[in-house]
Amino acid sequence: MRDFRDAKAMAQTLSEALAAKSVSLSHSESLELIAKVLGARDWNVLAARIQASQRANLSGAPVQIAAPSDQATLPIFPMRDLVLFPQMVTAIFVARDKTRRAVQHAVTGDRRVLVVAQKDGADNDPGARECLHPVGVTASVINCQTQVDGVLKVSVSGLERAAITGLINGEFLAGEIAPIEEQRGQSEEAAALSHAVLDAYRIYANVDLSSLPLQQRARFGLPSADNPGLLADTVAQLLSIGLEQEQQLLETGDVVVRLAKILDLMNAGRPEETDRRRQHR
């Protein structure tokens, strides 16, 4: 079945079908018509969405992006040294003026933002698509507090994966985003891998989780194997891996593939002590 990624082929088919009935329609007009049929504002918006899907798929796992009607425009928080995952609660320290304005805009609205890692941590103004990773996480701003040094401390709670389909670089950075739907989250393979991940994490972190009741496992920040997607994202946050590897896990919408990658990472070695310095974002 064709979807939005086949838009160009659909436009060509439409143009040829109309030509057979002596109806003249240029290729660009066909593209605009197909874009509207698929729910996008125009061809430029749909083309950006197609590019986001292609870039997200570079992680090697299929990504299911929601329909255009589910898209939204949110303020963007570009991160120098953080990959946020769904259900992750963390503090972000904001010093850049654009991001401060993005915070102000968010708290006067529905408090939702898109938290996305920038490709170059030294970039002070990542205002172009190529400066940001294609997939981030929508998050809710819990509270804001100005520190003694003037830096704004913003607590956020991760919600869901989302692909960037367009950027608006104005007083603050905003993005047109589309939620990414998880795949195979309730499959038998995911269930089996979830138990394997829990067992592997016990060895990786030197914690005997098997002897603990489910209620006490929460102290280690681990959900049960009944929610494979949440388990994968929780363990991903606890691994001593680099930002690029974390980003690859974030971009993996297939839960089975994500769990398998996490198993491989844990089997590759024990964690090393890391000291992540706080960097202003």
Side-chain angles (χ1 to χ4, degrees), residues 30 35 57 60 64 74 78 119 125 149 151 163 169 191 226 272 277:
S30 297
N57 274 320
Q64 186 68 39
L74 297 178
K119 294 181 179 179
D125 187 20
D149 58 1
V151 172
N169 194 357
D226 295 335
E272 298 178 355
R277 295 172 297 173

Side-chain angles (χ1 to χ4, degrees), residues 253-274:
D254 188 311
V255 175
V256 172
V257 175
R258 196 188 318 151
L259 287 165
K261 287 183 178 181
I262 289 171
L263 267 180
D264 289 342
L265 288 169
M266 286 193 290
N267 291 334
R270 292 285 304 279
E272 298 178 355
E273 290 297 323
T274 58

Side-chain angles (χ1 to χ4, degrees), residues 72-263:
T73 301
L74 297 178
I76 288 181
F77 289 6
M79 296 290 100
R80 298 183 193 272
D81 61 351
L82 171 72
V83 174
L84 187 73
F85 284 88
Q87 309 305 316
M88 178 178 175
V89 177
T90 190
I92 294 172
F93 296 91
V94 177
R96 290 184 284 203
D97 289 339
K98 269 193 172 182
T99 309
R100 294 175 75 97
R101 289 193 288 269
V103 173
Q104 293 168 359
H105 181 83
V107 297
T108 58
D110 64 4
R111 307 184 77 87
R112 287 193 306 149
V113 299
L114 179 73
V115 179
V116 61
Q118 55 189 73
K119 294 181 179 179
D120 181 2
D123 188 351
N124 288 321
D125 187 20
R129 289 277 293 275
E130 57 268 21
C131 300
L132 303 171
H133 285 286
V135 174
V137 167
T138 59
S140 177
V141 175
I142 301 172
N143 58 52
C144 307
Q145 187 177 46
T146 302
Q147 305 295 286
V148 176
D149 58 1
V151 172
L152 189 62
K153 179 182 178 182
V154 183
S155 297
V156 299
S157 176
L159 299 174
E160 62 180 350
R161 287 170 169 79
I164 298 175
T165 61
L167 278 187
I168 304 169
N169 194 357
E171 290 188 359
F172 58 87
L173 190 62
E176 295 176 336
I177 60 102
I180 294 176
E181 300 172 2
E182 283 196 338
Q183 300 153 61
R184 297 200 290 173
Q186 297 301 318
S187 65
E188 292 182 2
E189 298 100 317
L193 281 169
S194 293
H195 290 287
V197 164
L198 283 172
D199 290 340
Y201 186 76
R202 172 179 55 81
I203 299 171
Y204 180 84
N206 197 24
V207 175
D208 187 5
L209 295 175
S210 61
S211 64
L212 297 177
L214 290 178
Q215 297 88 336
Q216 293 186 28
R217 286 187 189 179
R219 291 188 304 167
F220 296 92
L222 292 179
S224 72
D226 295 335
N227 191 333
L230 178 58
L231 175 64
D233 287 341
T234 303
V235 173
Q237 304 165 37
L238 301 174
L239 301 181
S240 294
I241 57 178
L243 293 176
E244 287 298 324
Q245 290 173 306
E246 289 182 350
Q247 182 65 33
Q248 289 175 9
L249 292 174
L250 180 67
E251 294 182 12
T252 305
D254 188 311
V255 175
V256 172
V257 175
R258 196 188 318 151
L259 287 165
K261 287 183 178 181
I262 289 171
L263 267 180

